[in-house]
Every structure is written in structure tokens, then in C-alpha cells.
């Protein structure tokens, strides 16, 4: 597995985890980015937006544009990934005990 694939898997997992922790399971891309940074997973605005669109293509989040922001909301399938109930290639699996 390449370094970029590992990085993508961690970024996507961090985004889903961040959305799972938000009240209402959603937030704008800036809030998600800051939350991921607090986990030690820093991303540029372009990267967070691209990852959110990728997650939307997988049916894990919904994304809509509001002004200059993307608003992302976790879907039930995304929560299943966070909880380790569903595996999606391209997203880091949780470790035992997470």
C-alpha cells in the first residue's frame, strides 16, 4: 500500500469520526477540518472538500453547498463504518477497542 493510500484512509476515517461526534451529525467543512486537525490529521481546504465528495460518492455522507462552505452530514452507512459494522475499501478500519 502506498503512502498516499494510507493517508487517504486515515483522512476519510477522521472525517467520518468527526461528523459522528457533531451535534446533529453534520458540520461545515471548516469545522470538520479543525476537528480532524485536533486528531492529528491535518488537511488543506482542497483536500477536505475532495475527501467529502469521495465519501458522498460512497454513500457515507451527504454534501451540499452553502455560500463558500460545504455542509456535510453523516449518513447511517457512514455511522456503520465509524462503528466498525461496515467495511469500505479506502477507509481505515478501526483498531480493536476503538
Amino acid at each position: 500500500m502506498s503512502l498516499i493510500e494510507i493517508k487517504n484512509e486515515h483522512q476519510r476515517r477522521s472525517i467520518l469520526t468527526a461528523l459522528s461526534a457533531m451535534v446533529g451529525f453534520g458540520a461545515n467543512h471548516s469545522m470538520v477540518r479543525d476537528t480532524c486537525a485536533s486528531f492529528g490529521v491535518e488537511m488543506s481546504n482542497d483536500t477536505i472538500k475532495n475527501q467529502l465528495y469521495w465519501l458522498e460518492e460512497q454513500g457515507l455522507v451527504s454534501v451540499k453547498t452553502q455560500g463558500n462552505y460545504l455542509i456535510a452530514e453523516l449518513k447511517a452507512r457512514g455511522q456503520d463504518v465509524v462503528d466498525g459494522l461496515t467495511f469500505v475499501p479506502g477507509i481505515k478500519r478501526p483498531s480493536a477497542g476503538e
Side-chain angles (χ1 to χ4, degrees):
M1 181 178 295
S2 73
L3 182 58
I4 192 70
E5 290 171 319
I6 293 168
K7 190 174 182 180
N8 282 335
E9 285 187 353
H10 279 267
Q11 289 173 343
R12 294 166 183 160
R13 174 115 187 121
S14 294
I15 291 168
L16 294 176
T17 301
L19 289 171
S20 178
M22 301 284 178
V23 173
F25 302 103
N28 68 53
H29 76 273
S30 181
M31 290 176 63
V32 175
R33 182 178 165 218
D34 290 348
T35 303
C36 290
S38 75
F39 302 154
V41 181
E42 295 191 18
M43 292 175 261
S44 68
N45 276 324
D46 283 344
T47 299
I48 190 89
K49 289 176 180 181
N50 287 333
Q51 296 294 19
L52 284 169
Y53 285 129
W54 187 91
L55 291 166
E56 182 179 45
E57 288 174 1
Q58 308 310 307
L60 306 173
V61 302
S62 62
V63 177
K64 65 181 180 180
T65 303
Q66 189 169 12
N68 293 328
Y69 291 95
L70 291 183
I71 309 299
E73 187 173 320
L74 188 67
K75 291 185 170 184
R77 185 166 183 251
Q79 184 66 56
D80 285 346
V81 171
V82 172
D83 294 339
L85 302 173
T86 300
F87 173 69
V88 175
I91 300 174
K92 183 182 180 315
R93 296 184 76 168
S95 299
E98 277 189 66

